[in-house]
Amino acid sequence: MVIVRTIKQMQEAKKGLFGSIGFVPTMGALHQGHLSLIQQARKENDHLVVSIFVNPTQFLEGEDLNAYPRKDEADIKICELTGVDILFMPTVDAMYEADELCIGAPAIRGYVLEGEKRPGHFDGMLQVVMKLLNLSGANRAYFGKKDAQQLALITQMVKNYFMDVTIVPCEIVRDEQGLALSSRNVYLKDDEKERALSLSRALKHATKMVMAGERDVASIKAQMLEVLSEADKVEYVAIVDRAFKALETVEIGNTIILVAAWVGKPRLIDNLWV
Ligand code: PAF
């Protein structure tokens, strides 16, 4: 494995790769969820590039940029052990200059749900993902379904800018109790962990209702909110189609049920595709 830190090194390293390139962009503090992306990318491609970059432009004022968990040494070990060929760990200065050309999230689906609660977040996320996709030379790039709206917007960017890369959606990885894995779970204290499970419980409850024939979005959301009463503050419960348009009736095969809630320090998100 080579670790590259400058743009030039990344561009040079990629030139030596013949065959398909799989790419997994991350912000580090790697957990089992990242591992599953890395393993899938390893299997499906000749070469594997991973990036670790805590991207400042996707954090809003007052968010946890400076406190974001960083575990570079452990992350490097994990990448070595999982067969990563190139690990790209750039500095902020290498990635950005002043007065940049920016990409904006689309006006509708970029500004609902996460986009409404975190205005500007998706602009910064798309900006860095565009840079990383270009730099990595990826044929396939792997993203978790946990950040469902992020995944939808990246897929749209690739389509709208005619980028020659396949975006591969990957399943959410959960711990044995059902909590969706996230680097921010380290902030959860023991008693909060139990209450954090209310997110996946609410989603399970929604699935049960759908399986029992319920299709009315208002009834499903009302019951989910009851299950979520253990969270400190629910930011949203939403039922949308795969293009993030609000639904009144669940459409099997085209629906995503999403929750965002605060439990203790972290803001958690989770979702389920039905
Ligand atoms: O999902 C993430 O970890 C980040 O948003 C990403 C895609 C690496 C861009 O910084």
Side-chain angles (χ1 to χ4, degrees):
M1 180 175 88
V2 289
I3 301 178
V4 299
R5 296 189 189 266
T6 70
I7 306 303
K8 192 144 192 69
Q9 283 170 345
M10 183 61 228
Q11 286 168 330
E12 287 301 318
K14 160 181 86 178
K15 276 190 202 148
L17 304 181
F18 298 98
S20 62
I21 301 177
F23 175 50
V24 182
T26 79
M27 297 209 297
L30 302 180
H31 52 65
Q32 210 56 43
H34 297 109
L35 271 192
S36 80
L37 305 181
I38 291 174
Q39 280 159 351
Q40 186 173 342
R42 178 68 283 172
K43 254 193 244 142
E44 295 177 357
N45 299 280
D46 298 315
H47 305 284
L48 175 54
V49 179
V50 169
S51 65
I52 295 178
F53 179 62
V54 180
N55 173 40
T57 67
Q58 70 187 76
F59 288 78
L60 305 191
E61 202 66 38
E63 287 190 346
D64 58 347
L65 173 62
N66 293 325
Y68 195 81
R70 290 172 205 244
K71 300 193 307 182
D72 283 0
E73 251 176 64
D75 289 348
I76 291 170
K77 273 261 140 51
I78 290 171
C79 289
E80 248 160 19
L81 292 172
T82 46
V84 173
D85 296 303
I86 300 176
L87 175 58
F88 180 48
M89 299 177 76
T91 59
V92 174
D93 287 348
M95 289 296 280
Y96 289 107
E97 62 177 20
D99 194 23
E100 285 235 350
L101 184 152
C102 293
I103 299 173
I108 299 169
R109 71 180 91 158
Y111 284 89
V112 293
L113 305 175
E114 288 301 292
E116 187 188 349
K117 298 290 173 198
R118 304 178 69 194
H121 163 70
F122 285 134
D123 299 339
M125 180 281 291
L126 290 170
Q127 186 183 17
V128 82
V129 171
M130 167 73 95
K131 287 170 187 267
L132 291 169
L133 289 175
N134 287 339
L135 277 169
S136 67
N139 300 97
R140 298 187 192 87
Y142 296 77
F143 295 88
K145 284 182 172 178
K146 177 163 164 289
D147 293 298
Q149 201 172 358
Q150 164 172 287
L151 171 62
L153 294 176
I154 292 168
T155 306
Q156 186 182 354
M157 177 176 75
V158 164
K159 179 166 171 260
N160 291 166
Y161 286 87
F162 312 119
M163 295 164 73
D164 197 8
V165 54
T166 302
I167 301 301
V168 184
C170 301
E171 291 309 319
I172 296 176
V173 179
R174 300 175 180 283
D175 73 7
E176 58 289 347
Q177 290 169 294
L179 181 66
L181 298 191
S182 159
S183 303
R184 290 188 170 104
N185 289 353
V186 296
Y187 298 143
L188 289 169
K189 303 202 185 96
D190 281 350
D191 60 311
E192 292 166 351
K193 173 118 195 275
E194 177 53 34
R195 291 190 293 116
L197 293 173
S198 61
L199 277 82
S200 56
R201 275 196 208 116
L203 291 168
K204 253 189 236 152
H205 186 73
T207 328
K208 268 198 206 138
M209 291 179 78
V210 172
M211 276 165 53
E214 183 62 81
R215 296 289 180 271
D216 181 51
V217 160
S219 324
I220 297 171
K221 276 165 70 169
Q223 291 206 19
M224 286 179 72
L225 281 169
E226 277 178 37
V227 181
L228 280 163
S229 62
E230 284 175 65
D232 293 323
K233 182 177 165 227
V234 179
E235 284 215 324
Y236 59 77
V237 170
I239 302 190
V240 298
D241 69 10
R242 299 276 158 94
F244 280 83
K245 220 170 80 225
L247 290 172
E248 282 179 18
T249 310
V250 169
E251 297 169 7
I252 301 294
N254 187 36
T255 298
I256 311 178
I257 307 178
L258 305 109
V259 294
W262 292 90
V263 180
K265 197 168 156 213
R267 177 182 184 277
L268 304 173
I269 58 172
D270 199 353
N271 67 74
L272 195 113
W273 300 40
V274 289

PDB file of all heavy atoms in Angstrom, residues 23-28 34 37 51-56 58-59 68 96 121 124-126 128-129 132 142-144 147 150 154 183, ligand 1:
ATOM      1  N   PHE A  23     -13.116   2.796  -5.631  1.00  0.00           N
ATOM      2  CA  PHE A  23     -12.743   3.918  -4.748  1.00  0.00           C
ATOM      3  C   PHE A  23     -13.734   4.023  -3.594  1.00  0.00           C
ATOM      4  O   PHE A  23     -14.946   3.995  -3.790  1.00  0.00           O
ATOM      5  CB  PHE A  23     -12.748   5.212  -5.566  1.00  0.00           C
ATOM      6  CG  PHE A  23     -12.503   6.453  -4.748  1.00  0.00           C
ATOM      7  CD1 PHE A  23     -11.439   6.536  -3.865  1.00  0.00           C
ATOM      8  CD2 PHE A  23     -13.346   7.557  -4.877  1.00  0.00           C
ATOM      9  CE1 PHE A  23     -11.215   7.685  -3.114  1.00  0.00           C
ATOM     10  CE2 PHE A  23     -13.125   8.708  -4.130  1.00  0.00           C
ATOM     11  CZ  PHE A  23     -12.056   8.770  -3.244  1.00  0.00           C
ATOM     12  N   VAL A  24     -13.193   4.155  -2.388  1.00  0.00           N
ATOM     13  CA  VAL A  24     -14.028   4.362  -1.198  1.00  0.00           C
ATOM     14  C   VAL A  24     -13.572   5.656  -0.516  1.00  0.00           C
ATOM     15  O   VAL A  24     -12.524   5.685   0.135  1.00  0.00           O
ATOM     16  CB  VAL A  24     -13.913   3.175  -0.211  1.00  0.00           C
ATOM     17  CG1 VAL A  24     -14.823   3.397   0.998  1.00  0.00           C
ATOM     18  CG2 VAL A  24     -14.258   1.856  -0.893  1.00  0.00           C
ATOM     19  N   PRO A  25     -14.350   6.736  -0.655  1.00  0.00           N
ATOM     20  CA  PRO A  25     -14.000   7.972   0.049  1.00  0.00           C
ATOM     21  C   PRO A  25     -14.519   7.922   1.485  1.00  0.00           C
ATOM     22  O   PRO A  25     -15.650   7.483   1.716  1.00  0.00           O
ATOM     23  CB  PRO A  25     -14.744   9.058  -0.735  1.00  0.00           C
ATOM     24  CG  PRO A  25     -15.872   8.360  -1.406  1.00  0.00           C
ATOM     25  CD  PRO A  25     -15.536   6.903  -1.512  1.00  0.00           C
ATOM     26  N   THR A  26     -13.698   8.361   2.436  1.00  0.00           N
ATOM     27  CA  THR A  26     -14.136   8.342   3.836  1.00  0.00           C
ATOM     28  C   THR A  26     -13.622   9.591   4.553  1.00  0.00           C
ATOM     29  O   THR A  26     -12.744  10.293   4.039  1.00  0.00           O
ATOM     30  CB  THR A  26     -13.579   7.119   4.619  1.00  0.00           C
ATOM     31  OG1 THR A  26     -12.211   7.403   4.980  1.00  0.00           O
ATOM     32  CG2 THR A  26     -13.630   5.846   3.812  1.00  0.00           C
ATOM     33  N   MET A  27     -14.166   9.803   5.755  1.00  0.00           N
ATOM     34  CA  MET A  27     -13.609  10.851   6.612  1.00  0.00           C
ATOM     35  C   MET A  27     -12.841  10.199   7.767  1.00  0.00           C
ATOM     36  O   MET A  27     -12.616  10.827   8.806  1.00  0.00           O
ATOM     37  CB  MET A  27     -14.717  11.768   7.124  1.00  0.00           C
ATOM     38  CG  MET A  27     -15.420  12.511   5.986  1.00  0.00           C
ATOM     39  SD  MET A  27     -16.089  14.114   6.421  1.00  0.00           S
ATOM     40  CE  MET A  27     -17.296  13.640   7.639  1.00  0.00           C
ATOM     41  N   GLY A  28     -12.435   8.935   7.595  1.00  0.00           N
ATOM     42  CA  GLY A  28     -11.631   8.260   8.607  1.00  0.00           C
ATOM     43  C   GLY A  28     -12.451   7.761   9.780  1.00  0.00           C
ATOM     44  O   GLY A  28     -13.675   7.651   9.689  1.00  0.00           O
ATOM     45  N   HIS A  34     -17.432   1.083   7.060  1.00  0.00           N
ATOM     46  CA  HIS A  34     -16.448   1.391   6.013  1.00  0.00           C
ATOM     47  C   HIS A  34     -15.816   0.102   5.492  1.00  0.00           C
ATOM     48  O   HIS A  34     -15.573  -0.045   4.304  1.00  0.00           O
ATOM     49  CB  HIS A  34     -15.315   2.265   6.578  1.00  0.00           C
ATOM     50  CG  HIS A  34     -15.752   3.600   7.065  1.00  0.00           C
ATOM     51  ND1 HIS A  34     -15.786   3.935   8.402  1.00  0.00           N
ATOM     52  CD2 HIS A  34     -16.168   4.696   6.401  1.00  0.00           C
ATOM     53  CE1 HIS A  34     -16.191   5.173   8.538  1.00  0.00           C
ATOM     54  NE2 HIS A  34     -16.443   5.663   7.345  1.00  0.00           N
ATOM     55  N   LEU A  37     -17.670  -1.529   2.798  1.00  0.00           N
ATOM     56  CA  LEU A  37     -17.492  -0.843   1.510  1.00  0.00           C
ATOM     57  C   LEU A  37     -16.138  -1.224   0.901  1.00  0.00           C
ATOM     58  O   LEU A  37     -16.022  -1.515  -0.297  1.00  0.00           O
ATOM     59  CB  LEU A  37     -17.514   0.686   1.671  1.00  0.00           C
ATOM     60  CG  LEU A  37     -18.692   1.388   2.337  1.00  0.00           C
ATOM     61  CD1 LEU A  37     -18.467   2.894   2.353  1.00  0.00           C
ATOM     62  CD2 LEU A  37     -19.979   1.082   1.612  1.00  0.00           C
ATOM     63  N   SER A  51      -9.755   7.092   0.347  1.00  0.00           N
ATOM     64  CA  SER A  51      -9.301   8.398   0.824  1.00  0.00           C
ATOM     65  C   SER A  51      -9.784   8.614   2.247  1.00  0.00           C
ATOM     66  O   SER A  51     -10.862   8.139   2.636  1.00  0.00           O
ATOM     67  CB  SER A  51      -9.804   9.533  -0.079  1.00  0.00           C
ATOM     68  OG  SER A  51     -11.204   9.619  -0.018  1.00  0.00           O
ATOM     69  N   ILE A  52      -8.947   9.301   3.019  1.00  0.00           N
ATOM     70  CA  ILE A  52      -9.333   9.744   4.362  1.00  0.00           C
ATOM     71  C   ILE A  52      -9.130  11.250   4.383  1.00  0.00           C
ATOM     72  O   ILE A  52      -8.000  11.740   4.247  1.00  0.00           O
ATOM     73  CB  ILE A  52      -8.464   9.077   5.453  1.00  0.00           C
ATOM     74  CG1 ILE A  52      -8.717   7.558   5.461  1.00  0.00           C
ATOM     75  CG2 ILE A  52      -8.770   9.686   6.823  1.00  0.00           C
ATOM     76  CD1 ILE A  52      -7.868   6.804   6.473  1.00  0.00           C
ATOM     77  N   PHE A  53     -10.231  11.969   4.493  1.00  0.00           N
ATOM     78  CA  PHE A  53     -10.134  13.434   4.482  1.00  0.00           C
ATOM     79  C   PHE A  53     -11.352  13.994   5.201  1.00  0.00           C
ATOM     80  O   PHE A  53     -12.489  13.788   4.763  1.00  0.00           O
ATOM     81  CB  PHE A  53     -10.085  13.951   3.039  1.00  0.00           C
ATOM     82  CG  PHE A  53     -10.019  15.459   2.939  1.00  0.00           C
ATOM     83  CD1 PHE A  53      -8.943  16.161   3.481  1.00  0.00           C
ATOM     84  CD2 PHE A  53     -11.030  16.170   2.312  1.00  0.00           C
ATOM     85  CE1 PHE A  53      -8.881  17.560   3.395  1.00  0.00           C
ATOM     86  CE2 PHE A  53     -10.970  17.565   2.219  1.00  0.00           C
ATOM     87  CZ  PHE A  53      -9.894  18.254   2.770  1.00  0.00           C
ATOM     88  N   VAL A  54     -11.123  14.643   6.332  1.00  0.00           N
ATOM     89  CA  VAL A  54     -12.229  15.283   7.046  1.00  0.00           C
ATOM     90  C   VAL A  54     -12.457  16.620   6.355  1.00  0.00           C
ATOM     91  O   VAL A  54     -11.672  17.559   6.506  1.00  0.00           O
ATOM     92  CB  VAL A  54     -11.904  15.451   8.551  1.00  0.00           C
ATOM     93  CG1 VAL A  54     -13.068  16.118   9.270  1.00  0.00           C
ATOM     94  CG2 VAL A  54     -11.595  14.097   9.192  1.00  0.00           C
ATOM     95  N   ASN A  55     -13.506  16.651   5.557  1.00  0.00           N
ATOM     96  CA  ASN A  55     -13.718  17.770   4.628  1.00  0.00           C
ATOM     97  C   ASN A  55     -14.367  18.968   5.315  1.00  0.00           C
ATOM     98  O   ASN A  55     -15.559  18.926   5.629  1.00  0.00           O
ATOM     99  CB  ASN A  55     -14.617  17.274   3.490  1.00  0.00           C
ATOM    100  CG  ASN A  55     -15.030  18.404   2.584  1.00  0.00           C
ATOM    101  OD1 ASN A  55     -14.218  19.287   2.286  1.00  0.00           O
ATOM    102  ND2 ASN A  55     -16.288  18.394   2.172  1.00  0.00           N
ATOM    103  N   PRO A  56     -13.615  20.060   5.509  1.00  0.00           N
ATOM    104  CA  PRO A  56     -14.179  21.181   6.282  1.00  0.00           C
ATOM    105  C   PRO A  56     -15.396  21.826   5.629  1.00  0.00           C
ATOM    106  O   PRO A  56     -16.261  22.335   6.337  1.00  0.00           O
ATOM    107  CB  PRO A  56     -13.019  22.187   6.351  1.00  0.00           C
ATOM    108  CG  PRO A  56     -12.073  21.796   5.275  1.00  0.00           C
ATOM    109  CD  PRO A  56     -12.241  20.329   5.050  1.00  0.00           C
ATOM    110  N   GLN A  58     -18.001  20.683   4.332  1.00  0.00           N
ATOM    111  CA  GLN A  58     -19.321  20.084   4.542  1.00  0.00           C
ATOM    112  C   GLN A  58     -19.793  20.188   5.988  1.00  0.00           C
ATOM    113  O   GLN A  58     -20.843  19.668   6.342  1.00  0.00           O
ATOM    114  CB  GLN A  58     -19.359  18.646   4.032  1.00  0.00           C
ATOM    115  CG  GLN A  58     -18.551  17.644   4.832  1.00  0.00           C
ATOM    116  CD  GLN A  58     -18.516  16.289   4.136  1.00  0.00           C
ATOM    117  OE1 GLN A  58     -17.809  16.101   3.165  1.00  0.00           O
ATOM    118  NE2 GLN A  58     -19.285  15.333   4.641  1.00  0.00           N
ATOM    119  N   PHE A  59     -18.981  20.832   6.838  1.00  0.00           N
ATOM    120  CA  PHE A  59     -19.388  21.085   8.227  1.00  0.00           C
ATOM    121  C   PHE A  59     -19.913  22.511   8.311  1.00  0.00           C
ATOM    122  O   PHE A  59     -19.287  23.435   7.783  1.00  0.00           O
ATOM    123  CB  PHE A  59     -18.194  20.946   9.179  1.00  0.00           C
ATOM    124  CG  PHE A  59     -17.745  19.525   9.385  1.00  0.00           C
ATOM    125  CD1 PHE A  59     -16.983  18.872   8.430  1.00  0.00           C
ATOM    126  CD2 PHE A  59     -18.091  18.830  10.546  1.00  0.00           C
ATOM    127  CE1 PHE A  59     -16.566  17.562   8.614  1.00  0.00           C
ATOM    128  CE2 PHE A  59     -17.674  17.511  10.742  1.00  0.00           C
ATOM    129  CZ  PHE A  59     -16.912  16.877   9.773  1.00  0.00           C
ATOM    130  N   TYR A  68     -14.275  16.123  15.380  1.00  0.00           N
ATOM    131  CA  TYR A  68     -14.603  14.914  14.610  1.00  0.00           C
ATOM    132  C   TYR A  68     -13.563  13.837  14.903  1.00  0.00           C
ATOM    133  O   TYR A  68     -12.354  14.105  14.882  1.00  0.00           O
ATOM    134  CB  TYR A  68     -14.646  15.224  13.103  1.00  0.00           C
ATOM    135  CG  TYR A  68     -15.331  14.115  12.337  1.00  0.00           C
ATOM    136  CD1 TYR A  68     -16.717  14.044  12.274  1.00  0.00           C
ATOM    137  CD2 TYR A  68     -14.593  13.103  11.736  1.00  0.00           C
ATOM    138  CE1 TYR A  68     -17.351  13.006  11.615  1.00  0.00           C
ATOM    139  CE2 TYR A  68     -15.222  12.062  11.065  1.00  0.00           C
ATOM    140  CZ  TYR A  68     -16.591  12.024  11.014  1.00  0.00           C
ATOM    141  OH  TYR A  68     -17.216  10.981  10.372  1.00  0.00           O
ATOM    142  N   TYR A  96      -7.962  22.552  -1.282  1.00  0.00           N
ATOM    143  CA  TYR A  96      -8.732  23.776  -1.542  1.00  0.00           C
ATOM    144  C   TYR A  96      -7.847  24.993  -1.743  1.00  0.00           C
ATOM    145  O   TYR A  96      -6.771  25.087  -1.146  1.00  0.00           O
ATOM    146  CB  TYR A  96      -9.668  24.063  -0.355  1.00  0.00           C
ATOM    147  CG  TYR A  96     -10.824  23.099  -0.255  1.00  0.00           C
ATOM    148  CD1 TYR A  96     -10.854  22.127   0.744  1.00  0.00           C
ATOM    149  CD2 TYR A  96     -11.875  23.165  -1.166  1.00  0.00           C
ATOM    150  CE1 TYR A  96     -11.926  21.241   0.831  1.00  0.00           C
ATOM    151  CE2 TYR A  96     -12.944  22.285  -1.074  1.00  0.00           C
ATOM    152  CZ  TYR A  96     -12.962  21.331  -0.078  1.00  0.00           C
ATOM    153  OH  TYR A  96     -14.021  20.459   0.001  1.00  0.00           O
ATOM    154  N   HIS A 121     -24.405  22.029   3.703  1.00  0.00           N
ATOM    155  CA  HIS A 121     -23.672  20.773   3.899  1.00  0.00           C
ATOM    156  C   HIS A 121     -23.479  20.021   2.578  1.00  0.00           C
ATOM    157  O   HIS A 121     -22.377  19.571   2.251  1.00  0.00           O
ATOM    158  CB  HIS A 121     -24.433  19.889   4.897  1.00  0.00           C
ATOM    159  CG  HIS A 121     -24.023  18.450   4.875  1.00  0.00           C
ATOM    160  ND1 HIS A 121     -22.794  18.022   5.334  1.00  0.00           N
ATOM    161  CD2 HIS A 121     -24.649  17.335   4.407  1.00  0.00           C
ATOM    162  CE1 HIS A 121     -22.695  16.703   5.170  1.00  0.00           C
ATOM    163  NE2 HIS A 121     -23.799  16.269   4.604  1.00  0.00           N
ATOM    164  N   GLY A 124     -20.831  21.494   0.085  1.00  0.00           N
ATOM    165  CA  GLY A 124     -19.452  21.142   0.445  1.00  0.00           C
ATOM    166  C   GLY A 124     -19.158  19.676   0.186  1.00  0.00           C
ATOM    167  O   GLY A 124     -18.067  19.313  -0.271  1.00  0.00           O
ATOM    168  N   MET A 125     -20.150  18.824   0.480  1.00  0.00           N
ATOM    169  CA  MET A 125     -19.963  17.384   0.266  1.00  0.00           C
ATOM    170  C   MET A 125     -19.773  17.100  -1.223  1.00  0.00           C
ATOM    171  O   MET A 125     -18.851  16.385  -1.635  1.00  0.00           O
ATOM    172  CB  MET A 125     -21.166  16.646   0.854  1.00  0.00           C
ATOM    173  CG  MET A 125     -21.147  15.147   0.732  1.00  0.00           C
ATOM    174  SD  MET A 125     -21.610  14.525  -0.894  1.00  0.00           S
ATOM    175  CE  MET A 125     -23.357  14.938  -0.962  1.00  0.00           C
ATOM    176  N   LEU A 126     -20.632  17.706  -2.069  1.00  0.00           N
ATOM    177  CA  LEU A 126     -20.532  17.443  -3.523  1.00  0.00           C
ATOM    178  C   LEU A 126     -19.215  17.990  -4.083  1.00  0.00           C
ATOM    179  O   LEU A 126     -18.573  17.376  -4.930  1.00  0.00           O
ATOM    180  CB  LEU A 126     -21.726  18.064  -4.260  1.00  0.00           C
ATOM    181  CG  LEU A 126     -23.071  17.382  -3.992  1.00  0.00           C
ATOM    182  CD1 LEU A 126     -24.219  18.212  -4.558  1.00  0.00           C
ATOM    183  CD2 LEU A 126     -23.114  15.966  -4.571  1.00  0.00           C
ATOM    184  N   VAL A 128     -16.319  18.223  -2.584  1.00  0.00           N
ATOM    185  CA  VAL A 128     -15.167  17.364  -2.303  1.00  0.00           C
ATOM    186  C   VAL A 128     -15.297  16.029  -3.034  1.00  0.00           C
ATOM    187  O   VAL A 128     -14.298  15.465  -3.491  1.00  0.00           O
ATOM    188  CB  VAL A 128     -14.963  17.169  -0.773  1.00  0.00           C
ATOM    189  CG1 VAL A 128     -15.864  16.098  -0.193  1.00  0.00           C
ATOM    190  CG2 VAL A 128     -13.513  16.836  -0.497  1.00  0.00           C
ATOM    191  N   VAL A 129     -16.510  15.529  -3.174  1.00  0.00           N
ATOM    192  CA  VAL A 129     -16.672  14.233  -3.845  1.00  0.00           C
ATOM    193  C   VAL A 129     -16.305  14.362  -5.326  1.00  0.00           C
ATOM    194  O   VAL A 129     -15.655  13.489  -5.897  1.00  0.00           O
ATOM    195  CB  VAL A 129     -18.092  13.653  -3.636  1.00  0.00           C
ATOM    196  CG1 VAL A 129     -18.328  12.433  -4.516  1.00  0.00           C
ATOM    197  CG2 VAL A 129     -18.293  13.269  -2.173  1.00  0.00           C
ATOM    198  N   LEU A 132     -12.582  14.297  -5.401  1.00  0.00           N
ATOM    199  CA  LEU A 132     -12.032  12.977  -5.070  1.00  0.00           C
ATOM    200  C   LEU A 132     -12.276  11.970  -6.197  1.00  0.00           C
ATOM    201  O   LEU A 132     -11.419  11.136  -6.494  1.00  0.00           O
ATOM    202  CB  LEU A 132     -12.637  12.467  -3.758  1.00  0.00           C
ATOM    203  CG  LEU A 132     -12.203  13.242  -2.505  1.00  0.00           C
ATOM    204  CD1 LEU A 132     -13.052  12.843  -1.301  1.00  0.00           C
ATOM    205  CD2 LEU A 132     -10.717  12.999  -2.202  1.00  0.00           C
ATOM    206  N   TYR A 142     -17.926   3.672  -4.032  1.00  0.00           N
ATOM    207  CA  TYR A 142     -18.821   2.971  -3.107  1.00  0.00           C
ATOM    208  C   TYR A 142     -19.284   3.906  -1.990  1.00  0.00           C
ATOM    209  O   TYR A 142     -18.455   4.524  -1.300  1.00  0.00           O
ATOM    210  CB  TYR A 142     -18.085   1.750  -2.535  1.00  0.00           C
ATOM    211  CG  TYR A 142     -17.766   0.740  -3.629  1.00  0.00           C
ATOM    212  CD1 TYR A 142     -16.703   0.966  -4.508  1.00  0.00           C
ATOM    213  CD2 TYR A 142     -18.552  -0.390  -3.808  1.00  0.00           C
ATOM    214  CE1 TYR A 142     -16.435   0.075  -5.538  1.00  0.00           C
ATOM    215  CE2 TYR A 142     -18.284  -1.281  -4.841  1.00  0.00           C
ATOM    216  CZ  TYR A 142     -17.228  -1.039  -5.697  1.00  0.00           C
ATOM    217  OH  TYR A 142     -16.961  -1.913  -6.730  1.00  0.00           O
ATOM    218  N   PHE A 143     -20.607   3.979  -1.799  1.00  0.00           N
ATOM    219  CA  PHE A 143     -21.191   4.851  -0.776  1.00  0.00           C
ATOM    220  C   PHE A 143     -22.255   4.078  -0.022  1.00  0.00           C
ATOM    221  O   PHE A 143     -23.019   3.311  -0.617  1.00  0.00           O
ATOM    222  CB  PHE A 143     -21.825   6.096  -1.419  1.00  0.00           C
ATOM    223  CG  PHE A 143     -20.823   6.994  -2.086  1.00  0.00           C
ATOM    224  CD1 PHE A 143     -20.467   6.796  -3.404  1.00  0.00           C
ATOM    225  CD2 PHE A 143     -20.222   8.029  -1.380  1.00  0.00           C
ATOM    226  CE1 PHE A 143     -19.529   7.622  -4.019  1.00  0.00           C
ATOM    227  CE2 PHE A 143     -19.284   8.863  -1.990  1.00  0.00           C
ATOM    228  CZ  PHE A 143     -18.941   8.654  -3.314  1.00  0.00           C
ATOM    229  N   GLY A 144     -22.340   4.332   1.295  1.00  0.00           N
ATOM    230  CA  GLY A 144     -23.323   3.632   2.123  1.00  0.00           C
ATOM    231  C   GLY A 144     -24.718   4.231   1.967  1.00  0.00           C
ATOM    232  O   GLY A 144     -24.868   5.437   1.775  1.00  0.00           O
ATOM    233  N   ASP A 147     -26.272   7.265   4.478  1.00  0.00           N
ATOM    234  CA  ASP A 147     -26.408   8.660   4.048  1.00  0.00           C
ATOM    235  C   ASP A 147     -27.177   8.662   2.733  1.00  0.00           C
ATOM    236  O   ASP A 147     -26.623   8.913   1.657  1.00  0.00           O
ATOM    237  CB  ASP A 147     -25.024   9.284   3.880  1.00  0.00           C
ATOM    238  CG  ASP A 147     -24.324   9.418   5.220  1.00  0.00           C
ATOM    239  OD1 ASP A 147     -24.846  10.137   6.085  1.00  0.00           O
ATOM    240  OD2 ASP A 147     -23.273   8.787   5.409  1.00  0.00           O
ATOM    241  N   GLN A 150     -27.238  11.869   0.617  1.00  0.00           N
ATOM    242  CA  GLN A 150     -25.898  12.073   0.052  1.00  0.00           C
ATOM    243  C   GLN A 150     -25.720  11.188  -1.176  1.00  0.00           C
ATOM    244  O   GLN A 150     -25.283  11.637  -2.239  1.00  0.00           O
ATOM    245  CB  GLN A 150     -24.840  11.730   1.117  1.00  0.00           C
ATOM    246  CG  GLN A 150     -23.436  11.526   0.578  1.00  0.00           C
ATOM    247  CD  GLN A 150     -22.396  11.375   1.669  1.00  0.00           C
ATOM    248  OE1 GLN A 150     -22.033  12.333   2.331  1.00  0.00           O
ATOM    249  NE2 GLN A 150     -21.899  10.172   1.868  1.00  0.00           N
ATOM    250  N   ILE A 154     -25.064  12.470  -4.999  1.00  0.00           N
ATOM    251  CA  ILE A 154     -23.833  12.111  -5.721  1.00  0.00           C
ATOM    252  C   ILE A 154     -24.205  11.415  -7.031  1.00  0.00           C
ATOM    253  O   ILE A 154     -23.639  11.696  -8.092  1.00  0.00           O
ATOM    254  CB  ILE A 154     -22.925  11.209  -4.848  1.00  0.00           C
ATOM    255  CG1 ILE A 154     -22.381  12.010  -3.663  1.00  0.00           C
ATOM    256  CG2 ILE A 154     -21.789  10.620  -5.675  1.00  0.00           C
ATOM    257  CD1 ILE A 154     -21.721  11.174  -2.587  1.00  0.00           C
ATOM    258  N   SER A 183     -19.287   6.907  12.652  1.00  0.00           N
ATOM    259  CA  SER A 183     -18.109   7.343  13.415  1.00  0.00           C
ATOM    260  C   SER A 183     -18.549   8.161  14.625  1.00  0.00           C
ATOM    261  O   SER A 183     -17.856   8.216  15.636  1.00  0.00           O
ATOM    262  CB  SER A 183     -17.187   8.185  12.531  1.00  0.00           C
ATOM    263  OG  SER A 183     -16.811   7.439  11.398  1.00  0.00           O
TER     264      SER A 183
HETATM  265  O1  PAF B   1     -19.865  10.112   3.902  1.00  0.00           O
HETATM  266  C1  PAF B   1     -18.752  10.637   4.133  1.00  0.00           C
HETATM  267  O2  PAF B   1     -17.937  10.117   4.904  1.00  0.00           O
HETATM  268  C2  PAF B   1     -18.409  11.962   3.484  1.00  0.00           C
HETATM  269  O3  PAF B   1     -19.537  12.750   3.330  1.00  0.00           O
HETATM  270  C3  PAF B   1     -17.657  11.805   2.147  1.00  0.00           C
HETATM  271  C4  PAF B   1     -18.519  11.119   1.102  1.00  0.00           C
HETATM  272  C5  PAF B   1     -16.375  11.031   2.359  1.00  0.00           C
HETATM  273  C6  PAF B   1     -17.287  13.204   1.602  1.00  0.00           C
HETATM  274  O4  PAF B   1     -16.493  13.916   2.497  1.00  0.00           O
END
